[in-house]
Amino acid sequence: MSTLRYAFVAIVSMLALTSQAGAQNYPERVVRIVNPFPAGGSVEITARIMAQKLIENTGGQFIVENRTGAGGNVGSDSVAKSEPDGYTLLFTAPGPLSVNQTLYTKGLPFDPEKDFTPIAIFARTPIVLMVNPNIPVKNVQELIAYAKANPGKVNFGSAGNGSTPHLSGELLKSMTKIEITHVPYRGTGPAMTDLIAGHIQMMFDLLPGSLPQIESNKVRALANAGAKRAAALKDLPTVAEQGLPGFDSSSWVALVAPVKTPAPVLVKLRAEVAKVLASPDIVKRLAELGSEPGTANEAEARAFLAAETKKWAEVIRQSGATAE
């Protein structure tokens, strides 16, 4: 028995050394970072910023691949079922990791908690409430009054069912009892186009993708939906400041890996992403987009995801929103 035990220990030790050696040389081939949302949105913009810096820092190849469908579920499921070797990662907004398991009442083809291991909450991103400039409102209270005077005639767009902008609208509905209609789009781009054209009247959206339209006065920003004002729009008050205390809706983007990814590879990935987040040029770029750097600490990321899942589940239950 002792001979077998020694042989087993030797094999385990050899595998561990091989895994560590693999991590030291990581990445040896192309790393695919899957964005499960349409091209051109805030998620892709931020993913490409991260990928480019990882290329500069490591000399490796990191590419962003858009794989869309079902509120981010299609791309996320493909990563969950991919080889857990560190060469296929998921970079996503909250939907697939903390929203969709409640929103999709028929269930998901993957388990966000069991099938993924967090690498980082890469950035926290403000959400802004905006309207078409032709709508005669200048603040949140005027919007509420306008919606009550025109029940069922105010449509709000979003990047799709279950997106944080969609749920921000549902939260506003439930807190104010106004009648506004959700119009889901396949991504932020077409929703913003219709808002500018006046086909929809209002929209919540992540600040990185909407800041150029706000600054060019193509849309009118009414409020920051989060708990505090955004650094990029310091003069824009929050929804809570405008008479709805407790209103807090912001977004984030996270990088995760399939759950059985080797620990040494995860350690190296977290270290490299932490370097990216600490880079002055990345901090500056994220600030220009209205975002704030997140964390590559595993414990902090896990706790954050758990809290977000609980928070959005309650919003969904109160609003009655579903994706079916």
Side-chain angles (χ1 to χ4, degrees), residues 96-149:
L97 298 182
S98 65
V99 172
N100 291 356
Q101 64 238 63
T102 305
L103 189 74
Y104 284 75
T105 56
K106 295 180 181 178
L108 302 179
F110 60 92
D111 186 313
E113 183 177 359
K114 295 180 180 178
D115 291 343
F116 295 113
T117 296
I119 297 168
I121 306 300
F122 187 75
R124 294 180 175 89
T125 306
I127 291 176
V128 176
L129 169 59
M130 64 200 83
V131 297
N132 177 278
N134 293 324
I135 302 299
V137 300
K138 298 292 179 64
N139 55 54
V140 172
Q141 288 301 323
E142 288 183 3
L143 174 63
I144 294 171
Y146 180 82
K148 288 184 175 179

Side-chain angles (χ1 to χ4, degrees), residues 19 23 260-270:
S19 177
K260 293 183 180 180
T261 300
V265 172
L266 292 171
V267 169
K268 184 162 187 180
L269 273 168
R270 291 190 185 104

Side-chain angles (χ1 to χ4, degrees), residues 62-82:
F62 293 82
I63 63 169
V64 177
E65 179 181 296
N66 300 322
R67 185 169 246 189
T68 67
N73 293 338
V74 171
S76 300
D77 185 47
S78 73
V79 175
K81 293 178 170 58
S82 67

Side-chain angles (χ1 to χ4, degrees), residues 129 137 139-151 154 172-173 175-180 202 222 239 242-244:
L129 169 59
V137 300
N139 55 54
V140 172
Q141 288 301 323
E142 288 183 3
L143 174 63
I144 294 171
Y146 180 82
K148 288 184 175 179
N150 298 275
V154 176
L172 183 67
K173 283 174 65 176
M175 290 184 69
T176 61
K177 309 305 179 187
I178 57 177
E179 294 182 32
I180 55 178
M202 60 172 279
L222 299 187
V239 175
Q242 298 185 58
L244 291 178

Side-chain angles (χ1 to χ4, degrees), residues 6-319:
Y6 290 141
F8 176 76
V9 171
I11 291 171
V12 170
S13 299
M14 183 173 66
L15 290 173
L17 289 172
T18 301
S19 177
Q20 291 172 359
Q24 289 175 354
N25 297 326
Y26 175 90
E28 296 179 295
R29 60 181 192 274
V30 175
V31 179
R32 294 187 307 120
I33 301 171
V34 175
N35 161 34
F37 298 99
S42 296
V43 177
E44 185 192 35
I45 292 171
T46 313
R48 292 193 182 281
I49 290 171
M50 181 190 72
Q52 182 58 42
K53 194 64 177 180
L54 285 171
I55 292 170
E56 293 174 12
N57 288 355
T58 68
Q61 298 181 68
F62 293 82
I63 63 169
V64 177
E65 179 181 296
N66 300 322
R67 185 169 246 189
T68 67
N73 293 338
V74 171
S76 300
D77 185 47
S78 73
V79 175
K81 293 178 170 58
S82 67
E83 186 70 25
D85 54 10
Y87 289 91
T88 304
L89 308 173
L90 175 68
F91 190 91
T92 181
L97 298 182
S98 65
V99 172
N100 291 356
Q101 64 238 63
T102 305
L103 189 74
Y104 284 75
T105 56
K106 295 180 181 178
L108 302 179
F110 60 92
D111 186 313
E113 183 177 359
K114 295 180 180 178
D115 291 343
F116 295 113
T117 296
I119 297 168
I121 306 300
F122 187 75
R124 294 180 175 89
T125 306
I127 291 176
V128 176
L129 169 59
M130 64 200 83
V131 297
N132 177 278
N134 293 324
I135 302 299
V137 300
K138 298 292 179 64
N139 55 54
V140 172
Q141 288 301 323
E142 288 183 3
L143 174 63
I144 294 171
Y146 180 82
K148 288 184 175 179
N150 298 275
K153 294 183 180 180
V154 176
N155 298 317
F156 75 98
S158 80
N161 284 319
S163 62
T164 40
H166 166 211
L167 297 181
S168 299
E170 297 293 346
L171 181 60
L172 183 67
K173 283 174 65 176
S174 65
M175 290 184 69
T176 61
K177 309 305 179 187
I178 57 177
E179 294 182 32
I180 55 178
T181 303
H182 177 227
V183 181
Y185 288 81
R186 292 181 63 84
T188 299
M192 180 61 75
T193 297
D194 272 8
L195 179 65
I196 293 171
H199 300 311
I200 56 175
Q201 289 70 46
M202 60 172 279
M203 184 168 79
F204 285 89
D205 190 30
L206 278 63
L207 187 54
S210 57
L211 190 58
Q213 286 73 31
I214 294 171
E215 291 179 335
S216 63
N217 297 316
K218 292 181 179 179
V219 297
R220 179 184 299 134
L222 299 187
N224 186 313
K228 62 179 184 179
R229 298 189 183 194
L233 293 173
K234 293 181 180 179
D235 294 331
L236 186 68
T238 65
V239 175
E241 287 179 281
Q242 298 185 58
L244 291 178
F247 193 103
D248 181 7
S249 182
S250 57
S251 191
W252 42 266
V253 282
L255 181 68
V256 300
V259 72
K260 293 183 180 180
T261 300
V265 172
L266 292 171
V267 169
K268 184 162 187 180
L269 273 168
R270 291 190 185 104
E272 292 297 341
V273 174
K275 290 179 186 177
V276 172
L277 290 171
S279 301
D281 57 332
I282 296 300
V283 173
K284 180 182 178 183
R285 180 65 179 130
L286 290 176
E288 290 171 349
L289 293 171
S291 297
E292 299 176 356
T295 176
N297 179 285
E298 181 182 5
E300 291 177 3
R302 286 188 183 279
F304 179 82
L305 289 172
E308 285 289 288
T309 299
K310 181 178 179 181
K311 166 188 169 181
W312 289 118
E314 185 62 27
V315 171
I316 292 166
R317 282 192 287 267
Q318 287 183 359
S319 68

